[in-house]
Amino acid sequence: MALNPQSVLTKLDSTTSERLSALNYLKNEVIGHTQRKEDWLRHGILRRVVRIIASAALGASKDAPSSFLALPTFIDEDNARLQALQLLASFANAGPAFLPPLYAAGALPAVLSDSCLQSEHHQIVLGALRVIQDIAAAAVSVSPSSPISLTSLADILFTDGPLESFYHILSQQTSGPSHSSAGQISIVAQLIKDLCREERHQSALVSSGILDALATKLAGFAVSEGQMLPRAELIAQLEDLEGYIPEPTHPATGLDNILGAIAAIISDSPYRACKLLYSPSILTVFPVANVDPSKPPRSSCGPMELPGVRPTKHLDFEPMNMLLPRTFPQILNRPVYPSVGTPREGLSRNGRSASRFHSNAAPGTPPEETFTSNNDVESEEAESPLIPWLITLARSRRGSEMLMATSVLTSLFKAGFSYKTRETDLSLLVVPVLLNTLSEVGTRMKDVETASVLSIIEEAPAILGRLVTDSEPLQKAAFESNAVKIICKLLKDSYDPPPPLARSWSYHRSPNLTGELPPDCRLGEEAGQHRHLVHRIKVRESTLRAIGAITTFKDEYRKAVVDQEAILYVVESLKPTSDNPISVVIAACYAVRMLSRSVSILRTALVDHDVSTPLFDILQHHDVEVQMAAADAMCNLVMDCSPMRDSLVEAGIVKVACEHAHSHHAPLRLSALWALKHLVLSSSIDLKKRCVEELESGWLVRLICDDTEDDALFSARERSDRQPTQNGLDDMDEDMDMGLADDQNRAWLSPSFYKTSTTHNHSDIRILREADSRLEALREAELNPIRKARHDDLAIQEQGLGFIRNLIGGAHSSNNVDSPNETTEMIDFLFNTIGQERLFDILASKLRVKVLHSYSRRSATGSEARILPPQTKIIESVIYILVHIAASIPRHRQLVVSQTELLKQLAKLFNSQDREVRVALCHLINNLTWQDNANDGPACSQRALELKKLGFLTKLEALKEGDDELDVRERAKSALWQMKPAY
């Protein structure tokens, strides 16, 4: 029987029994009927339903706490709250158009209150979580104007109050006969998996203890399946860690959601990945210790060790490896790669990160400042058994569980926490499984309706891309597993029109009523995007990233992409539209950047599809992330071998790139300067002069000379340091400076670093104290803004010096007989523009130790001065600038030789550990002692004599006789042969 809407509204404001009756009626009325939901929405039903939930929260805050002996009773008020939550979930499930009224009615604050998420009744907790889950599902396809997007929802959920409730939920036990908490944990994990994308959210989830809680659940899965390491319990007893052995996790919790949440939090952060490995439950279930199974249990176990940051030591007893098929490196049981040296991760052949996505990763720490513990240097460390266990999961599980296990494994592998031999394991055991799964589900992209299968198609290519980035063996394994064909097919399918949805409720607005109704009584402006279109956009971004990752090194792989006729779709993805959001455009720029490394593709396929036009357009996009990605892709398009260089110059690339080089955003300055460096290489003298004039000589000097980011950070901290005084707090202790501010921002240094439900104090446990120290150093290396500012400055200075090097180094054409004259003219132009003495002073300053700003008054005495030695890449650039000057005319060679202080600095570098520095010095001596003609003879002899007085002859002889590198010895021999007759 239909009731009068006004009478239903009256009942909702009446007694509890009347409320229950009205809520039951509303549920039966609207569930499954979207049109009725819209009708009831106009009557103001949402605010009244939310009021029922909020009133319960208010009542709970006023009530005195009940006795812990009192059993929770599900009374009518609780039933009404549950019915109200179910009604809200039904409205949220109706689609994006209902999100604005839900937001206006205050649904989220009511649902996120402690009375809902920390209720003593599991039905209410589950009902509240389902409301949030449905809101998040609807937010996936919202229009940009909606007040609730995935990012804004994450901003609401990942704050102190809700995070405390989530931690409470995740800390529940699921091993009892009643596994009601398993559903709650699964939803919370899924929310983290779907919403956690930004650094600030990941950091909040770590500091609130949620990563540790998820790690405990993951370890509980290993316990429930009997895969806890042999004698792990005994080791835990010996190390006082028995309180951290988790209860078995119920299967209903959802292993895929737990793994997905962990993968979303740790992402590409070595610190957060290490936080997972050093979580007490992971250390307990997957201990690293020398075990002799032939001895009695009590005497068979050595002390527990921390898993290595760069593990190289293989233990005699590694039982988790027995779950894996034997591969050749495992049989050898030793690393197949050197354990000493700079890791390959993050670097391409030209020294630049091939995986650089500005949208989701900050610039890394320079090699000189990368964290390495004393243990890493002085002794070898073993790998965590969690790594082979995850490989086992990736091989034995199917669907989303396999995918999420691979995602966590990828984060640990890329962070360097696995043996280098695991690269072979991943090539043989994981990559084929991942691509086989993607091939199977990819064929059903057009007609599948299952959300889990759609999720696999969306996420698998991106995970594959992360895994194979900067790894030739893994890229080879992916290519041989038909990755290019599979990925390119998915990319092309993503541009097919989405299938029509089944006819149901048709979104419409009543124009005569909309303006008169309050926000909680009217639908949103738009019904949201087609859900299949949303899926296709995600697949597009994911596949573009995979294409870029696979084609990092080999021309063969790039040509395979061309053969699959995918270039058209890559170029189409460069055009920002409603179907190509910013994330897709950035991924397309990355793919173009990798594909354009092939000169043949640069001159054929990319030209045929006119890639330069959309790329130049987005170089001027309003979003700085898009500008950076476009500038990165431009680097190869403006090279002298590119047929697109002239058209880009005519379009105005010089002006746009120079504008970006003046940006306040350091990564954009770096990308623009990198593109300009490539643009002036072997270009005409007019274009070179135009670039210098547009960039402005004064700004160029600042770029290569000043510590812009370091100075900006220092100034900002000085202002914040003075602020307490300006506020009348002159009586503060002298030590209340930036050092204190740093301490306040380092909650992770406190004894509560591990937030667990156990009663143990982790500071009393040896292994956890060691983990504290390691994590502190890792976080300092990764998140310290001083390090980031220093890295940005050094990277920009390196490219600025490289710009000068290319400016004076390459002639317009190697066939031009006047090339030396062009080089001479450019050197003189540079001297006149910057100043001859000023340029040599700058070059000399780059070879000296630099004293940096101190960020604390406590270090003002000088005992804690920040010292930065000359950086290798900077040194190389300085020497090659001098090499080019010395390659000009005798007058310029004489100028270089007259720089006595500069040459003294160079003489100290013959013992450099870097081969390229020693080779460059040999080139410099060769050029300085070159004799143009007979008239240059006396001057050449004088130059050689000056170099001998400064010790260069002795240094060259030492290189000739004792250098380990054949190339260096030969270059030194050539320089000596030319230098000795000159004097």
Side-chain angles (χ1 to χ4, degrees):
M1 175 181 176
L3 296 178
N4 182 5
Q6 192 57 45
S7 65
V8 174
L9 297 177
T10 302
K11 287 184 177 182
L12 289 176
D13 294 331
S14 185
T15 63
T16 303
S17 59
E18 292 288 331
R19 286 180 183 174
L20 276 173
S21 173
L23 289 168
N24 276 315
Y25 172 79
L26 285 170
K27 281 175 57 182
N28 295 331
E29 179 78 5
V30 304
I31 289 179
H33 298 279
T34 309
Q35 185 63 60
R36 294 180 186 173
K37 291 175 186 174
E38 182 182 0
D39 295 338
W40 279 103
L41 181 73
R42 291 199 183 98
H43 288 98
I45 194 67
L46 284 183
R47 191 167 294 279
R48 286 175 170 82
V49 172
V50 169
R51 192 181 302 153
I52 294 173
I53 300 170
S55 63
L58 183 61
S61 64
K62 291 181 178 180
D63 292 340
S66 58
S67 169
F68 71 94
L69 294 175
L71 295 176
T73 304
F74 200 72
I75 59 177
D76 286 346
E77 285 81 359
D78 297 321
N79 192 9
R81 190 166 22 144
L82 177 61
Q83 302 287 339
L85 289 168
Q86 292 171 348
L87 199 56
L88 281 185
S90 177
F91 276 91
N93 194 44
F98 286 83
L99 292 184
L102 282 167
Y103 179 83
L108 275 175
V111 171
L112 292 172
S113 64
D114 290 350
S115 66
C116 287
L117 292 183
Q118 295 191 37
S119 172
E120 56 191 0
H121 304 294
H122 69 86
Q123 306 99 311
I124 291 178
V125 178
L126 194 58
L129 290 172
R130 282 175 176 160
V131 174
I132 303 170
Q133 185 182 37
D134 288 336
I135 289 176
V140 170
S141 55
V142 297
S143 62
S145 61
S146 174
I148 300 182
S149 63
L150 290 178
T151 302
S152 64
L153 185 58
D155 289 337
I156 294 171
L157 295 184
F158 301 144
T159 53
D160 291 344
L163 285 178
E164 184 67 31
S165 298
F166 290 162
Y167 176 79
H168 173 78
I169 293 169
L170 291 171
S171 300
Q172 298 177 96
Q173 301 296 334
T174 62
S175 57
S178 173
H179 54 270
S180 57
S181 60
Q184 301 172 18
I185 294 172
S186 180
I187 293 176
V188 170
Q190 184 181 10
L191 288 170
I192 295 171
K193 169 189 168 186
D194 294 341
L195 299 177
C196 183
R197 291 291 180 270
E198 300 191 15
E199 178 80 25
R200 65 181 187 277
H201 300 146
Q202 293 162 340
S203 299
L205 288 163
V206 171
S207 60
S208 63
I210 284 181
L211 179 58
D212 279 331
L214 290 166
T216 301
K217 295 304 174 190
L218 181 62
F221 274 106
V223 173
S224 66
E225 297 187 3
Q227 293 179 337
M228 188 174 180
L229 280 186
R231 303 192 181 177
E233 293 187 55
L234 177 58
I235 296 172
Q237 292 174 9
L238 296 175
E239 297 288 344
D240 199 25
L241 287 171
E242 65 272 16
Y244 292 103
I245 298 176
E247 294 292 327
T249 303
H250 196 280
T253 304
L255 177 60
D256 55 340
N257 287 332
I258 297 295
L259 286 167
I262 291 173
I265 295 173
I266 65 176
S267 186
D268 297 315
S269 163
Y271 161 68
R272 293 192 296 270
C274 191
K275 188 73 170 69
L276 169 67
L277 292 181
Y278 291 177
S279 181
S281 295
I282 296 295
L283 289 173
T284 304
V285 175
F286 300 103
V288 175
N290 280 305
V291 176
D292 187 348
S294 63
K295 292 183 179 180
R298 283 283 172 183
S299 60
S300 65
C301 302
M304 181 184 288
E305 304 171 11
L306 287 176
V309 175
R310 299 283 177 192
T312 56
K313 181 178 71 174
H314 289 260
L315 300 176
D316 295 331
F317 183 61
E318 293 182 333
M320 200 59 74
N321 282 334
M322 298 178 183
L323 299 176
L324 302 175
R326 302 292 294 277
T327 59
F328 184 66
Q330 288 180 0
I331 295 172
L332 293 179
N333 198 34
R334 61 173 62 93
V336 296
Y337 297 95
S339 60
V340 179
T342 303
R344 272 292 300 276
E345 285 79 7
L347 294 179
S348 63
R349 285 178 171 171
N350 62 3
R352 195 177 194 191
S353 172
S355 56
R356 183 176 170 209
F357 282 103
H358 294 288
S359 59
N360 56 20
T365 306
E368 291 79 8
E369 300 187 43
T370 302
F371 164 76
T372 306
S373 72
N374 291 333
N375 290 337
D376 293 328
V377 176
E378 297 173 1
S379 63
E380 294 183 325
E381 295 177 319
E383 174 191 79
S384 170
L386 178 66
I387 304 290
W389 186 70
L390 288 171
I391 297 177
T392 303
L393 286 183
R395 286 181 52 78
S396 61
R397 301 289 177 139
R398 294 292 178 266
S400 59
E401 290 183 347
M402 178 278 298
L403 195 63
M404 293 301 102
T406 305
S407 184
V408 175
L409 180 63
T410 297
S411 294
L412 296 175
F413 172 72
K414 303 309 287 187
F417 294 119
S418 65
Y419 295 133
K420 286 297 294 182
T421 54
R422 291 297 178 199
E423 197 168 39
T424 302
D425 292 338
L426 296 173
S427 299
L428 298 176
L429 305 179
V430 176
V431 171
V433 173
L434 180 60
L435 282 165
N436 183 60
T437 300
L438 188 57
S439 177
E440 290 176 355
V441 300
T443 58
R444 299 151 56 192
M445 179 177 175
K446 296 180 181 180
D447 55 7
V448 75
E449 292 287 337
T450 306
S452 60
V453 176
L454 292 177
S455 177
I456 293 174
I457 300 173
E458 293 166 3
E459 297 174 0
I463 294 172
L464 175 69
R466 286 178 56 224
L467 180 60
V468 307
T469 294
D470 299 326
S471 170
E472 289 189 47
L474 289 172
Q475 289 171 16
K476 183 175 184 291
F479 182 75
E480 292 177 348
S481 298
N482 224 13
V484 172
K485 182 178 179 180
I486 295 169
I487 298 297
C488 288
K489 182 181 183 303
L490 288 174
L491 174 61
K492 292 188 284 188
D493 289 346
S494 72
Y495 274 94
D496 290 342
L501 295 175
R503 288 187 60 83
S504 57
W505 168 72
S506 176
Y507 170 79
H508 66 278
R509 300 176 63 209
S510 302
N512 57 333
L513 293 177
T514 300
E516 304 172 3
L517 296 173
D520 61 294
C521 297
R522 62 174 186 262
L523 294 176
E525 296 294 323
E526 298 180 19
Q529 295 176 300
H530 192 298
R531 66 174 183 213
H532 288 290
L533 177 60
V534 173
H535 166 66
R536 277 159 168 70
I537 290 172
K538 292 180 179 179
V539 172
R540 198 172 302 159
E541 176 188 351
S542 185
T543 52
L544 287 166
R545 294 196 177 203
I547 288 172
I550 294 171
T551 58
T552 302
F553 297 123
K554 297 286 189 180
D555 259 11
E556 179 187 0
Y557 307 160
R558 301 181 190 116
K559 290 175 181 176
V561 174
V562 176
D563 293 340
Q564 292 295 319
E565 301 179 346
I567 299 296
L568 170 64
Y569 300 93
V570 173
V571 175
E572 190 66 26
S573 301
L574 290 170
K575 302 171 184 176
T577 64
S578 58
D579 295 348
N580 280 338
I582 286 175
S583 59
V584 170
V585 174
I586 291 174
C589 289
Y590 175 59
V592 169
R593 177 183 154 202
M594 296 299 111
L595 290 168
S596 61
R597 289 182 173 182
S598 167
V599 175
S600 63
I601 293 175
L602 185 64
R603 290 178 170 177
T604 55
L606 293 179
V607 173
D608 293 343
H609 291 90
D610 192 24
V611 70
S612 61
T613 299
L615 203 55
F616 182 74
D617 290 341
I618 62 175
L619 189 62
Q620 305 168 77
H621 195 274
H622 63 84
D623 188 276
V624 69
E625 302 289 341
V626 177
Q627 293 172 2
M628 287 188 290
D632 285 342
M634 276 292 181
C635 287
N636 292 335
L637 270 62
V638 297
M639 294 285 287
D640 60 318
C641 60
S642 169
M644 292 173 271
R645 173 194 264 189
D646 292 340
S647 62
L648 285 168
V649 171
E650 292 176 3
I653 185 68
V654 174
K655 178 178 175 58
V656 176
C658 289
E659 286 177 355
H660 290 339
H662 284 74
S663 170
H664 294 295
H665 196 64
L668 179 56
R669 284 203 307 275
L670 174 64
S671 298
L673 201 53
W674 206 311
L676 286 169
K677 180 187 77 171
H678 285 188
L679 178 62
V680 299
L681 179 64
S682 299
S683 64
S684 68
I685 196 166
D686 290 336
L687 179 58
K688 290 181 177 181
K689 290 181 177 179
R690 182 179 162 194
C691 287
V692 174
E693 291 167 355
E694 192 72 42
L695 185 60
E696 299 174 2
S697 60
W699 184 250
L700 176 59
V701 169
R702 286 191 61 185
L703 289 175
I704 63 176
C705 188
D706 295 349
D707 298 310
T708 308
E709 293 302 302
D710 193 65
D711 291 342
L713 181 62
F714 178 71
S715 299
R717 291 201 166 192
E718 267 198 329
R719 287 194 299 272
S720 64
D721 195 33
R722 289 194 301 265
Q723 193 65 37
T725 303
Q726 295 169 355
N727 291 338
L729 300 178
D730 297 315
D731 57 343
M732 291 181 67
D733 192 323
E734 182 69 15
D735 282 339
M736 294 291 288
D737 59 357
M738 284 312 303
L740 178 61
D742 287 343
D743 293 341
Q744 291 172 341
N745 291 327
R746 297 177 183 177
W748 42 277
L749 291 175
S750 67
S752 60
F753 188 73
Y754 289 102
K755 182 176 180 180
T756 62
S757 56
T758 167
T759 58
H760 282 273
N761 183 353
H762 90 281
S763 61
D764 297 333
I765 302 174
R766 175 193 62 84
I767 197 69
L768 297 186
R769 288 197 306 271
E770 293 178 8
D772 260 353
S773 177
R774 182 75 61 83
L775 287 167
E776 172 190 339
L778 269 175
R779 176 163 178 168
E780 177 72 12
E782 182 175 322
L783 301 181
N784 189 337
I786 301 172
R787 286 178 178 267
K788 182 182 181 302
R790 168 58 28 199
H791 171 254
D792 289 341
D793 285 333
L794 289 175
I796 290 170
Q797 290 171 21
E798 178 190 341
Q799 294 311 309
L801 291 168
F803 174 77
I804 293 177
R805 173 183 172 182
N806 288 353
L807 202 65
I808 63 176
H812 178 48
S813 172
S814 59
N815 298 322
N816 188 347
V817 295
D818 294 326
S819 292
N821 292 332
E822 288 189 0
T823 300
T824 301
E825 183 178 348
M826 277 309 304
I827 293 172
D828 287 334
F829 173 78
L830 194 64
F831 284 161
N832 293 331
T833 304
I834 295 179
Q836 179 178 300
E837 293 303 319
R838 176 64 169 147
L839 178 61
F840 283 120
D841 287 345
I842 292 172
L843 296 181
S845 71
K846 296 301 167 189
L847 303 179
R848 291 192 289 264
V849 173
K850 186 175 183 62
V851 180
L852 305 176
H853 288 300
S854 172
Y855 285 88
S856 172
R857 295 194 194 105
R858 288 188 291 265
S859 60
T861 61
S863 60
E864 300 180 18
R866 296 171 60 221
I867 302 298
L868 184 71
Q871 305 298 294
T872 300
K873 292 296 182 182
I874 300 288
I875 293 172
E876 287 180 26
S877 297
V878 168
I879 297 175
Y880 276 112
I881 289 173
L882 296 173
V883 168
H884 291 322
I885 296 176
S888 179
I889 56 178
R891 173 170 57 86
H892 290 155
R893 288 193 280 274
Q894 201 64 40
L895 273 176
V896 175
V897 172
S898 67
Q899 306 299 318
T900 305
E901 291 302 319
L902 177 59
L903 291 177
K904 286 181 179 179
Q905 294 292 335
L906 290 173
K908 300 175 183 177
L909 299 174
F910 277 88
N911 295 325
S912 171
Q913 298 295 316
D914 188 86
R915 182 185 70 89
E916 292 300 326
V917 170
R918 304 195 301 275
V919 168
L921 287 169
C922 294
H923 282 305
L924 178 60
I925 303 302
N926 255 322
N927 287 358
L928 288 175
T929 55
W930 177 262
Q931 181 177 324
D932 274 357
N933 49 47
N935 295 332
D936 189 32
C940 181
S941 297
Q942 182 64 31
R943 292 195 298 271
L945 188 59
E946 290 295 327
L947 291 173
K948 181 182 178 182
K949 290 179 180 178
L950 291 172
F952 281 82
L953 181 63
T954 305
K955 302 283 188 181
L956 282 174
E957 288 175 339
L959 288 183
K960 174 191 170 185
E961 299 298 331
D963 200 277
D964 295 334
E965 296 286 343
L966 176 62
D967 185 35
V968 177
R969 294 199 300 271
E970 292 300 315
R971 301 288 181 185
K973 187 186 300 183
S974 174
L976 281 169
W977 178 84
Q978 187 165 286
M979 183 178 179
K980 285 183 176 180
Y983 65 87

